Amino acid sequence: MGSELQAHVAFHLTGKRIGAGLQAADARQLRPALLARFGDLTRLRYDFPLVLVAGRADDTGIQSLSTLVNGILQALAPRGIEGEAMRRQVLRLEREIRTLAAKSDAEPLSRLWDLAAKRIGAAGDPALAANLTRARAALPVDGEVVDCTHELPTRLVTHAWRARQRKKAERFEEELARLIVKLSDILHADFVHSAQGTSAARLKASVGTGMEQAFDFQALSKTLAQVSGKNALPEVRRQRVQQALSVLRAYPSRAQTGAGWPEDLEAYAFANCRDALEAFRRRVPQIIGLVKAMAIAELEIEGRYLEATHDSFFAEFDEDSVGAKDLSAFPDYLVCIGSESLHSPENAGLMEILASDMPIKVVLQVSEVLEEPAARGQRSLVAPAAQFGKMATGLGSAYVLQSCSSHFYQARRGVLAGLAYAGPALFSVFSGSPRAGMLPPYLLAAAALQSRAFPAFSYDPAAGPDWASRFALEGNPQPEADWPVHEFAYEDEAHQSVTEPVAFTFVDFVACDPRHATHFALVPRAEWNGSMVPVASSLASGAAAAAGKLPYLQMVDDDHALQRALVDEKLLSAAERCREMWHSFQELGGVHSSQAERLIARERKVWEEQKQREIEVLKREAKPVMAAVPAAPTVAAPAASEAKPSAAEAEPEKLSDDPYIETPRCTTCNECTNLNNRMFAYDANKQAYVADANAGTYRELVEAAESCQVSIIHPGKPRNPNEPGLVELLKRAEPFL
């Protein structure tokens, strides 16, 4: 082993650089190769910035600037060359708004629009000004423009929470008003039929001053007294209705407070769990009294109140009698905390909240997915706060949404669903570490999602009775794969364009944080050798198959030069644990379920054994029949005829690197054609053959061989030597070659 290779192996095993060959990865600004093309985000057209439209409690309250501009251009810009000038001008304006939004703090879209138009020279260009004015008039909404910053999760959830509380306030007051009117009608009807209600003075007052001489009110009162009062309310019921009515009327209305609730919404927003719990418990007696009064009112209005049944129930009516459905009619409490204070004493009640029926929504803004380097005495590099979302799903009673701020626009419906859930909800969002500093929050959050370091998922207890209904992995790229694979294009030393698939792994995410640069060592180009393999290949092959191979990560420096950075064993082990965690998410989300695969294998074995028994029975039944048939006279056949094999024997065993199918044995089970109907097809006899081996991947060939019920698919050798995971795939293909 040469000295250079010894230094490489030593770094991989110990994380220490020996000699002068390997360079420190923090000696220059580096980023993973797949992030090389992302520089100035203001020139990139993507979801951000967002426009938060006030007063809308549905997903139209959270809109993307790009989507709004697309709608305007579709409505105003003529198709073809005639509308090209307007499209260019409005898109230029959009880019300027994006630049302003990156530097401002929640400015209204209308103001940024006008400022951007001024900055691109609309004042001195009449044609430009006319087009931008038309587009400005077609702008369907206005609202605060927010970029993907560290504060985005709290700001977006708070915006949606406020809109929902206002809508809820309107519905609640309408319901209160209805109950008050109905109870008042009951008391009024009883009064009208009472002696006081039919008195001469009361009757005279109800007629008015213009008709006082037209009636004998004394005689009318005596007549009504003979038929009234027979169906008067029992005194107990009257008191019950009056008591419920007084409770409902005592609840402050919007007209009294001007806020829509007994207090302003700010009284329901908190910076820690302790204060939220105290506020909720302080209001519990009022909630109990109001829920009780509303329930009694509903029974009285419908005439279904039974004293023998309901008196004892309402006599014992307490906090345990109020459920999540009852609480959902009242204001939701909002708690916004940062991951740095997750384990502080004031947030010790978080698990109590999530395990209860309390209408408390918690935003956990995760600023660190990775542990600080100084705190890495433990085995995992992943911070505990990054795993809190999965832990919360185990409670089973809380709505849980985990996402990254880069994906928050796509996850907005999940946010709204959590706010609408009748019970506690947790929104765990990675917003990018402000201390990482190397990448903007959007790219860092997107890297966490891509690398499986912080997967996106939702758990909704109200969606159904089982995990298949409740748990979803929506938002994760390529959820069926261990790591997302993307095309990476670059120019080699011969100035030739090269494109190759590159996986974005947990190691790539760690490489985005300069604080963890000690896990990497740059290898000079002259020392690149065949013992170095990409990180994804090393992770896929396993420790045994990777013996003698050193994992490296492709990175790009400030000069856009491609570099190779060796990865130490500690980081590689952390990536393996991240992959195992992702596998557990896949299990929960129904992707590559080991239980389902085991059941399929068991059923396939039973099916094969049953078919084999049937074949043996047919063989046994065929022997006596053949024995009873007289032997045919022996006739000499031509030599050529004797040498001619049967149709089944005519096809010699194929020993080739090309994939093939034993077509005559095909049972037409559709497994392979369902997997890839361009690679596999049926012939005239409805039996499968390999139609185009280049129409799919070697992975699909191996998966088809594994799923074939009669094991007649032979995947051959891979055609693309750069396909990810080939070491693992070749091992899986061995039984079918």
Side-chain angles (χ1 to χ4, degrees):
M1 183 184 295
S3 59
E4 294 174 354
L5 185 56
Q6 288 180 0
H8 296 178
V9 173
F11 175 80
H12 174 64
L13 295 177
T14 66
K16 298 183 183 300
R17 290 182 290 111
I18 300 175
L22 296 178
Q23 304 171 20
D26 56 352
R28 65 186 80 183
Q29 288 293 315
L30 296 165
R31 62 173 60 188
L34 285 174
L35 296 181
R37 57 182 175 172
F38 299 106
D40 183 4
L41 290 181
T42 62
R43 304 181 68 85
L44 179 66
R45 197 161 191 259
Y46 63 118
D47 291 337
F48 289 89
L50 303 179
V51 180
L52 306 183
V53 185
R56 297 193 180 184
D58 56 8
D59 59 355
T60 63
I62 305 169
Q63 301 197 32
S64 168
L65 175 64
S66 296
T67 302
L68 288 173
V69 170
N70 287 344
I72 292 172
L73 291 178
Q74 289 174 2
L76 298 182
R79 294 185 178 181
I81 194 65
E82 295 180 1
E84 188 61 24
M86 184 176 192
R87 280 189 287 271
R88 286 200 309 269
Q89 292 166 351
V90 175
L91 290 176
R92 182 184 171 194
L93 177 81
E94 178 192 337
R95 188 171 67 188
E96 190 64 32
I97 293 176
R98 185 171 284 109
T99 302
L100 292 171
K103 301 176 182 178
S104 63
D105 184 25
E107 292 282 352
L109 175 58
S110 55
R111 184 177 184 280
L112 291 182
W113 185 291
D114 295 339
L115 183 58
K118 182 179 179 180
R119 290 178 58 141
I120 65 175
D125 188 338
L128 173 62
N131 281 335
L132 295 185
T133 300
R134 288 182 60 208
R136 173 76 162 76
L139 194 64
V141 296
D142 195 9
E144 291 184 343
V145 180
V146 295
D147 203 4
C148 187
T149 62
H150 300 298
E151 296 76 24
L152 175 70
T154 297
R155 180 169 290 171
L156 188 146
V157 176
T158 301
H159 165 79
W161 172 78
R162 287 180 177 278
R164 176 166 175 76
Q165 300 317 299
R166 293 190 180 96
K167 293 295 183 183
K168 185 188 286 190
E170 295 173 2
R171 292 194 301 268
F172 188 76
E173 291 210 352
E174 289 174 0
E175 178 63 13
L176 275 184
R178 182 185 72 85
L179 295 177
I180 290 173
V181 169
K182 294 292 186 180
L183 289 183
S184 300
D185 288 346
I186 292 174
L187 295 177
H188 181 69
D190 180 62
F191 173 78
V192 168
H193 290 85
S194 66
Q196 184 179 359
T198 58
S199 65
R202 178 69 182 177
L203 293 174
K204 184 177 180 180
S206 64
V207 170
T209 56
M211 302 292 292
E212 291 178 347
Q213 305 302 321
F215 297 97
D216 184 345
F217 292 105
Q218 290 292 342
L220 183 58
S221 176
K222 291 180 180 179
T223 302
L224 291 175
Q226 297 175 3
V227 297
S228 299
K230 295 181 179 180
N231 297 315
L233 286 179
E235 184 61 26
V236 174
R237 185 186 180 193
R238 182 184 299 106
Q239 291 180 3
R240 186 167 58 242
V241 172
Q242 289 175 340
Q243 176 63 27
L245 185 60
S246 64
V247 173
L248 298 181
R249 284 175 171 167
Y251 195 73
S253 66
R254 180 167 32 192
Q256 295 172 315
T257 64
W261 292 106
E263 303 169 49
D264 188 79
L265 278 178
E266 294 301 324
Y268 291 85
F270 302 90
N272 62 70
C273 297
R274 180 190 58 203
D275 293 346
L277 283 170
E278 290 178 356
F280 174 78
R281 289 166 179 157
R282 188 170 58 250
R283 296 181 178 117
V284 163
Q286 183 188 32
I287 292 174
I288 294 173
L290 193 58
V291 170
K292 178 180 177 180
M294 293 176 72
I296 292 174
E298 200 66 61
L299 291 170
E300 289 289 0
I301 291 168
E302 297 176 0
R304 294 189 295 108
Y305 192 99
L306 302 176
E307 293 180 357
T309 302
H310 295 114
D311 280 356
S312 58
F313 172 76
F314 286 111
E316 302 294 331
F317 200 89
D318 57 11
E319 185 175 352
D320 294 333
S321 305
V322 179
K325 184 177 180 181
D326 300 314
L327 293 173
S328 65
F330 293 88
D332 293 330
Y333 296 70
L334 181 66
V335 181
C336 298
I337 60 177
S339 56
E340 63 279 358
S341 63
L342 178 60
H343 300 292
S344 60
E346 60 267 23
N347 290 318
L350 177 55
M351 295 302 287
E352 177 188 352
I353 289 173
L354 299 178
S356 70
D357 289 335
M358 292 181 283
I360 300 180
K361 317 299 181 182
V362 181
V363 179
L364 174 59
Q365 187 166 305
V366 180
S367 58
E368 295 284 0
V369 168
L370 302 176
E371 285 276 26
E372 285 281 354
R376 277 194 260 126
Q378 56 188 22
R379 187 166 176 259
S380 176
L381 291 182
V382 179
Q387 304 177 32
F388 190 81
K390 187 178 181 182
M391 292 171 55
T393 61
L395 297 173
S397 57
Y399 181 98
V400 180
L401 174 70
Q402 178 168 298
S403 182
C404 292
S405 56
S406 59
H407 183 68
F408 225 31
Y409 175 66
Q410 287 87 350
R412 64 193 184 282
R413 291 185 178 88
V415 173
L416 297 173
L419 293 175
Y421 175 67
L426 173 70
F427 306 101
S428 179
V429 189
F430 175 57
S431 58
S433 172
R435 287 177 288 180
M438 178 179 170
L439 295 176
Y442 176 83
L443 281 185
L444 192 60
L449 184 68
Q450 289 275 335
S451 65
R452 317 302 194 198
F454 200 84
F457 70 85
S458 63
Y459 176 79
D460 185 359
D466 50 38
W467 276 86
S469 305
R470 296 179 175 187
F471 192 87
L473 281 177
E474 294 178 359
N476 294 284
Q478 303 174 28
E480 72 287 346
D482 285 353
W483 316 105
V485 177
H486 304 279
E487 294 294 327
F488 175 56
Y490 63 95
E491 182 182 288
D492 63 12
E493 293 177 331
H495 302 289
Q496 299 298 309
S497 177
V498 178
T499 301
E500 61 182 29
V502 175
F504 196 88
T505 70
F506 178 79
V507 174
D508 292 78
F509 175 67
V510 176
C512 295
D513 192 337
R515 296 173 299 173
H516 297 270
T518 55
H519 290 292
F520 304 92
L522 293 181
V523 181
R525 184 173 292 271
E527 297 182 14
W528 292 8
N529 57 73
S531 66
M532 301 173 65
V533 296
V535 165
S537 299
S538 180
L539 290 169
S541 60
K549 300 296 183 181
L550 300 174
Y552 73 86
L553 180 67
Q554 291 193 106
M555 304 186 76
V556 174
D557 60 22
D558 282 344
D559 297 325
H560 299 285
L562 194 61
Q563 304 285 341
R564 284 186 180 183
L566 286 180
V567 180
D568 68 16
E569 190 174 33
K570 185 172 184 178
L571 179 53
L572 201 67
S573 298
E576 291 173 347
R577 290 191 292 274
C578 177
R579 181 181 58 187
E580 291 304 312
M581 180 65 72
W582 172 244
H583 287 170
S584 70
F585 277 108
Q586 289 179 315
E587 291 268 1
L588 294 175
V591 180
H592 300 321
S593 171
S594 60
Q595 296 289 348
E597 290 172 358
R598 184 180 302 173
L599 179 61
I600 291 172
R602 187 173 64 199
E603 292 299 320
R604 180 180 297 154
K605 182 179 179 182
V606 171
W607 181 86
E608 290 174 351
E609 291 174 351
Q610 180 182 352
K611 291 300 179 184
Q612 186 61 36
R613 288 194 297 269
E614 292 176 357
I615 292 172
E616 292 175 358
V617 170
L618 291 174
K619 287 180 179 179
R620 287 196 300 270
E621 292 176 350
K623 287 181 179 179
V625 175
M626 296 298 295
V629 176
T634 303
V635 179
S641 179
E642 290 178 358
K644 185 177 181 181
S646 64
E649 298 171 346
E651 187 176 358
E653 183 180 358
K654 295 185 179 180
L655 298 175
S656 170
D657 289 346
D658 293 331
Y660 69 96
I661 297 177
E662 299 175 51
T663 301
R665 294 179 55 202
C666 177
T667 60
T668 319
C669 65
N670 298 329
E671 292 281 356
C672 60
T673 54
N674 287 340
L675 180 66
N676 187 333
N677 59 10
R678 293 179 294 110
M679 177 180 286
F680 305 103
Y682 285 129
D683 61 12
N685 296 324
K686 195 64 174 176
Q687 291 181 301
Y689 68 98
V690 178
D692 183 359
N694 296 318
T697 63
Y698 188 65
R699 179 177 293 277
E700 290 176 316
L701 282 167
V702 175
E703 290 176 351
E706 292 173 336
S707 63
C708 180
Q709 299 176 357
V710 289
S711 300
I712 62 172
I713 300 178
H714 305 276
K717 300 297 183 183
R719 298 186 169 222
N720 178 12
N722 296 319
E723 182 173 336
L726 281 185
V727 175
E728 175 196 2
L729 292 173
L730 285 170
K731 186 175 181 180
R732 290 165 56 184
E734 286 179 1
F736 309 101
L737 295 178

